[in-house]
Amino acid sequence: EEEAVAEAPVEEEVAAPEPVAAVAEPVELFGKAPFIGGELFLGETEWNKFTTEYGSAETGTFLRAAEIKHGRSAMLATVGFALQKLGVTFDKISPHEYLSVSQGIKFADLAAMGPIAAVKAVPVEGIAQVFAVIAAIEIYELTHRDGEIKEGESVPPGLQAGGLTGYNLNYNPLKIEITDRRKLVELQNGRAAMFAISAWVAAETIPGSVPLPFL
């Protein structure tokens, strides 16, 4: 009889564990709203997703820069809107009578209108001049860093990751110390102005949309 040969047990191959993806640390948010002795962070879940899952810390820098710039625009808009409503208009302070001589538009004509109607009455050439100034500022921000134009870079500083911060303009003729406190105040005022100008435009264009009278 042939001796039975014992078969060695076949060891099953165990798959190597897949490497665990590193979990990105949440990016700290600058500008949390003060709230009853603490801080309020609306949209914290979305912020964490944009700065970890969908992007990075540089994404957060861009989002904060966008909020700062929108806030500044809103602050300018609220001041202009309020001055128009209060009657502090160019026909009273400008040595010139006409906004546009060629089209016969006087500052007094605009003063008699509401803020929205006055903007619509500005000629196309006037709107183009406003956008030209805005474009020049934006181009300066995108192409400069620390007050100097950066030549020879394939990607402009403002378009690089984390390059647009909201403070690229570096315009500070009064040499005011830019502290975190000042940045926070600007951010909070900008947020308030965005709410204000939205409400004022709605009240001006949609009767009854805002139950409170303006001025």
Side-chain angles (χ1 to χ4, degrees), residues 103-180:
Q103 300 194 28
I105 301 175
K106 297 181 179 181
F107 286 117
D109 299 332
L110 300 181
M113 304 176 184
I116 304 300
V119 170
K120 291 181 178 179
V122 175
V124 175
E125 294 82 357
I127 299 296
Q129 291 176 45
V130 172
F131 275 94
V133 172
I134 295 173
I137 296 173
E138 292 293 324
I139 292 172
Y140 182 95
E141 280 195 291
L142 292 175
T143 56
H144 287 66
R145 185 191 296 123
D146 299 326
E148 297 180 356
I149 188 169
K150 298 300 178 180
E151 300 178 355
E153 297 187 11
S154 58
V155 179
L159 296 180
Q160 296 175 12
L164 194 62
T165 63
Y167 301 98
N168 303 67
L169 196 58
N170 202 32
Y171 180 71
N172 188 9
L174 300 179
K175 306 299 180 184
I176 298 173
E177 182 182 1
I178 308 300
T179 63
D180 285 345

Side-chain angles (χ1 to χ4, degrees), residues 22 33 42 48 63 69 82 92 111 119 126 156 169 173 177 180 201:
L42 295 176
N48 290 337
L63 293 174
K69 291 165 74 67
K92 298 180 178 65
V119 170
L169 196 58
E177 182 182 1
D180 285 345
V201 169

Side-chain angles (χ1 to χ4, degrees), residues 20-58:
V20 179
V23 179
E25 292 292 331
V27 177
E28 180 68 20
L29 172 70
F30 175 79
K32 295 179 182 178
F35 184 74
I36 311 179
E39 291 181 324
L40 181 64
F41 188 175
L42 295 176
E44 183 173 4
T45 301
E46 290 73 17
W47 172 267
N48 290 337
K49 281 184 174 293
F50 275 111
T51 56
T52 57
E53 184 179 346
Y54 303 149
S56 62
E58 286 75 16

